[in-house]
Amino acid sequence: MSKLLLDLAERSAWTGAQAALGLAVVELADVPVWWAAPVALALASAKSWVAGRLIGRPGTASTLPRAKDPATPSTSSGLGA
């Protein structure tokens, strides 16, 4: 699978998980559903922080392996190689 498709799948999966968790949290807390958006945004920020610091690719929030991550620079010089 190409890096672009893996990136798209990763982003879609995380967005869906964050939205679902946001809705679950507001349902369990018995607060108005509009709180789901700020909760999901907080979860997205937390995931980005963890991915950028603990998974080991500073400057990217990707949880993909380094070889599959489109944000990882390629090793070629880009001069026709």
Side-chain angles (χ1 to χ4, degrees):
M1 192 182 290
S2 76
K3 285 185 175 185
L4 180 61
L5 288 177
L6 283 171
D7 188 52
L8 180 64
E10 179 207 23
R11 290 172 188 258
S12 297
W14 276 114
T15 300
Q18 291 155 358
L21 280 171
L23 286 172
V25 166
V26 299
E27 186 67 28
L28 290 171
D30 198 26
V31 294
V33 74
W34 67 265
W35 275 99
V39 170
L41 288 172
L43 290 168
S45 295
K47 191 275 300 181
S48 296
W49 186 89
V50 169
R53 283 159 187 80
L54 300 182
I55 295 180
R57 284 187 312 281
T60 174
S62 178
T63 55
L64 291 171
R66 183 178 299 271
K68 305 282 187 190
D69 182 14
T72 301
S74 65
T75 56
S76 76
S77 65
L79 299 174

